[in-house]
Amino acid sequence: QVQLVESGGGLVQPGGSLRLSCAASGSIFSINTMGWYRQVPGKQRELVATITSGGSTYYADSAKGRFTISRDNAKSMVYVQMNSLKPEDTAVYLCNVRFFQGEVREYWGQGTQVTVSS
């Protein structure tokens, strides 16, 4: 069983910063991709950024230049540092892990709310 637990969300003013953390546990194959997605009620879930176990990163256009994804494989943690936050960044941010083990396996956390408002 794989479990992902996010933390670090909250209320921040426009232009502010937040760092989200995701703790992973369970049977996760060592070669994997972890990522952050976000979802606003009534809208489709949106990719924010991903990082492979080898450290390769990918960012959505909305995150480029403002967000930085990182991971600590020894601690089974993934982070996203979010700077210059905008009201349109308001969403529930969800942690994701994907790996191949006989088949593609994908797991999600419960999410953490980020609200950007003055």
Side-chain angles (χ1 to χ4, degrees):
Q1 188 75 347
V2 172
Q3 189 172 23
L4 302 173
V5 179
E6 302 96 335
S7 60
L11 173 64
V12 63
Q13 291 188 340
S17 298
L18 278 177
R19 187 193 194 212
L20 305 183
S21 301
C22 173
S25 61
S27 299
I28 300 173
F29 191 59
S30 58
I31 300 174
N32 60 70
T33 297
M34 298 192 75
W36 289 95
Y37 291 71
R38 64 189 184 187
Q39 188 154 27
V40 176
K43 291 190 175 182
Q44 201 165 11
R45 189 169 292 182
E46 176 188 23
L47 169 69
V48 175
T50 62
I51 184 168
T52 68
S53 45
S56 297
T57 58
Y58 173 84
Y59 294 92
D61 287 343
S62 59
K64 286 179 183 175
R66 300 188 300 128
F67 295 4
T68 303
I69 190 170
S70 61
R71 64 188 288 167
D72 184 333
N73 290 333
K75 295 182 180 179
S76 298
M77 298 286 295
V78 63
Y79 310 94
V80 62
Q81 175 68 41
M82 305 187 295
N83 300 327
S84 303
L85 283 163
K86 306 173 183 179
E88 51 263 43
D89 294 318
T90 296
V92 174
Y93 283 71
L94 302 109
C95 181
N96 170 276
V97 64
R98 187 183 307 122
F99 55 92
F100 183 82
Q101 196 169 34
E103 59 183 1
V104 175
R105 299 178 184 269
E106 185 172 46
Y107 300 89
W108 295 90
Q110 292 295 311
T112 185
Q113 176 71 45
V114 171
T115 302
V116 184
S117 175
S118 55

